[in-house]
Amino acid sequence: GQQVMQIPQYQHVQEGEDFTTYCNSSTTLSNIQWYKQRPGGHPVFLIQLVKSGEVKKQKRLTFQFGEAKKNSSLHITATQTTDVGTYFCAGSGGYNKLIFGAGTRLAVHP
Amino acid sequence: DAGVIQSPRHEVTEMGQEVTLRCKPISGHDYLFWYRQTMMRGLELLIYFNNNVPIDDSGMPEDRFSAKMPNASFSTLKIQPSEPRDSAVYFCASSHGRLTKLFFGSGTQLSVL
């Protein structure tokens, strides 16, 4: 069945450093979504990518969708303590449902 | 809008007891999802509904789990009998349209002793 793999599992950075998490699918995705979950909270939608090669930015966050629509990345420039949390990608292939990756937990040290 | 509302926020029960989790989706949303989150297995989709009709329940772990959506504003997830391995955070989410962004509730932290 469809699988969405996400790396790394954990990332510790100093405040001000950059951070990137990667998402890979075993199948071609029709779209990919990114969510952020703060400790003790619930996943909150960040963005959706649909087009091959698409790049979207939200302030310090840059999201990319691969040309083959099988991978995606989230890059945070100059991390802040408010960026702490777990970042999930969720992809949709041919099953008409979103499959979540395992998430990348980001810790930011001041 | 108040967002997706789940109750209870926390549930502690003993093995063998029946547990019922409740969810009120955002008004106007036509899709409702139940997810389970654990450290070991991450976010797992249990079941989802479209216009109150169950579409895919392939993620429901066992016959002990059942879900209903009697109307557009209410859904339940029932576990009977509960077991310690059911301990997890259960999230309800809703969306407007297929494969659009999900709005999650605050979750129910379930502990089965």
Side-chain angles (χ1 to χ4, degrees):
Chain A
Q2 179 186 348
Q3 291 186 340
V4 175
M5 293 149 287
Q6 201 172 342
I7 56 170
Q9 191 174 8
Y10 303 100
Q11 185 80 55
H12 299 254
V13 299
Q14 288 294 129
E15 190 172 20
E17 291 182 339
D18 292 357
F19 159 77
T20 305
T21 174
Y22 301 90
C23 186
N24 293 287
S25 170
S26 55
T27 59
T28 302
L29 301 171
S30 58
N31 69 9
I32 194 155
Q33 299 179 11
W34 286 90
Y35 292 80
K36 176 183 179 182
Q37 184 177 21
R38 294 182 185 275
H42 58 277
V44 175
F45 175 84
L46 294 176
I47 208 160
Q48 176 170 283
L49 305 173
V50 178
K51 299 177 183 177
S52 169
E54 189 170 13
V55 178
K56 287 188 176 181
K57 292 189 175 183
Q58 290 180 350
K59 297 183 180 178
R60 296 178 294 104
L61 277 61
T62 302
F63 303 84
Q64 292 188 326
F65 202 7
E67 294 290 339
K69 301 183 77 173
K70 284 188 172 184
N71 57 76
S72 181
S73 65
L74 158 58
H75 179 83
I76 302 178
T77 303
T79 55
Q80 301 175 357
T81 54
T82 53
D83 295 325
V84 164
T86 301
Y87 293 85
F88 293 95
C89 62
S92 169
Y95 296 92
N96 292 327
K97 59 186 179 183
L98 281 174
I99 304 299
F100 278 78
T104 296
R105 188 190 302 177
L106 173 64
V108 180
H109 301 290
Chain B
D1 201 320
V4 176
I5 299 173
Q6 289 187 247
S7 64
R9 287 297 308 274
H10 303 274
E11 177 80 34
V12 180
T13 190
E14 293 186 345
M15 183 174 62
Q17 296 297 307
E18 177 180 295
V19 174
T20 299
L21 311 181
R22 297 172 176 79
C23 175
K24 176 179 169 54
I26 293 174
S27 177
H29 282 190
D30 52 349
Y31 283 82
L32 183 138
F33 305 81
W34 283 100
Y35 283 89
R36 178 172 68 176
Q37 186 174 42
T38 61
M39 287 294 292
M40 289 295 293
R41 301 176 68 91
L43 268 168
E44 300 174 275
L45 176 63
L46 301 178
I47 185 172
Y48 77 93
F49 296 82
N50 176 219
N51 292 323
N52 314 337
V53 176
I55 302 300
D56 186 340
D57 65 354
S58 59
M60 296 286 261
E62 300 170 31
D63 292 345
R64 298 184 297 106
F65 286 69
S66 62
K68 294 182 179 179
M69 193 165 185
N71 56 62
S73 58
F74 184 66
S75 177
T76 60
L77 178 67
K78 186 176 294 187
I79 308 173
Q80 166 62 17
S82 59
E83 296 182 3
R85 59 192 167 124
D86 301 330
S87 298
V89 180
Y90 291 80
F91 286 106
C92 175
S94 69
S95 69
H96 180 57
R98 188 176 69 89
L99 302 178
T100 59
K101 66 180 181 180
L102 300 180
F103 292 82
F104 282 81
S106 297
T108 295
Q109 174 77 59
L110 174 64
S111 297
V112 183
L113 307 178

